[in-house]
Amino acid sequence: MNNKFSWQSFISIGLLFSFIMMLFSGLILYVAPEGSLSRWIGWEVFHLSKKQWEHQHTIFSYLFILFSVFHIFKINWALMLSYFIPEKIKIMNYKELVIALLIVVFVFFGTLIKLYPFEYILHLGNQISDSHIENVEMPQIADAEKLTLEEFAEKIFKVRFSEIEKIFKVHHFIEIREDITIAEFSSLNKITPEQLYKILKGELIKESSNGVIDMSSISSFATDYSTIL
């Protein structure tokens, strides 16, 4: 039995696995919602957020490049070199070289100027990503999940922090601090920023209708919400 380590098998299997992960993460990112929307609705696949999938895709892309470099220099360097050394190139190799180069150039510029089918592929991805926004409520401030609870109360609802603090306590939320961000607070309380927003909106509107607080001047409580992406 031969127990000698096979670099060819190791590199080939590494290429395969890194390619599969790169392909899978790429498909997930292809249909993922836009960044701020994904954070707002807590969009996840297999309990990983869009940002985490972006990290996976980036790292496995580099791993794929690393295995590719090893594949070229360790296994196929002599063969690969022969494709580019004039005295070693067979006449038949020029055809493959030119066609491969033309395909790469065509795909690059076709994507750049949005030729078919590249435009369709890009449009389909955007269409799928934009579909996530249906029935989603977002405040009229971009990246609202990055605001602190105090800033969220003042900028979104135009009320003091003490007003939303009371609501949080009624709903038994934890880590109720002025300086904690909406994203952190939502994560600790196992709720999405959008769900938190809807709870606050509903409770504050209820208090306003009961005359507890005056919300008459707040434009963000209109029924027509603008989505900021």
Side-chain angles (χ1 to χ4, degrees), residues 4-111:
K4 185 179 178 180
F5 188 81
S6 173
W7 280 99
Q8 182 170 347
S9 298
F10 167 69
I11 293 171
S12 298
I13 294 171
L15 267 174
L16 175 63
F17 287 165
S18 56
F19 169 75
I20 291 173
M21 279 301 300
M22 192 171 61
L23 174 64
F24 186 64
S25 59
L27 289 173
I28 289 175
L29 294 175
Y30 179 70
V31 301
E34 188 274 336
S36 59
L37 176 61
S38 68
R39 293 190 299 271
W40 183 251
I41 63 176
W43 186 87
E44 293 182 342
V45 175
F46 296 123
H47 301 292
L48 296 181
S49 66
K50 181 184 179 182
K51 178 61 68 177
Q52 290 173 314
W53 278 113
E54 288 174 347
H55 293 166
Q56 294 292 333
H57 187 73
T58 298
I59 297 302
F60 274 100
S61 296
Y62 280 114
L63 183 61
F64 181 80
I65 292 172
L66 182 63
F67 276 120
S68 298
V69 170
F70 275 112
H71 190 270
I72 292 172
F73 285 92
K74 184 69 178 177
I75 301 176
N76 292 319
W77 174 242
L79 180 61
M80 184 66 67
L81 194 63
S82 69
Y83 295 149
F84 300 96
I85 298 179
E87 58 269 22
K88 291 186 177 181
I89 299 179
K90 300 177 182 178
I91 297 299
M92 62 179 293
N93 292 137
Y94 281 110
K95 180 173 62 178
E96 286 83 353
L97 185 63
V98 171
I99 292 176
L101 181 60
L102 287 176
I103 290 175
V104 170
V105 171
F106 174 70
V107 171
F108 178 84
F109 286 102
T111 303

Side-chain angles (χ1 to χ4, degrees), residues 137 157 196-206 221-223 225:
E137 288 190 19
F157 298 113
L196 182 65
Y197 173 74
K198 287 181 176 180
I199 289 172
L200 288 174
K201 171 191 161 187
E203 293 291 345
L204 288 172
I205 288 179
K206 188 189 303 181
F221 267 67
T223 55
Y225 287 88

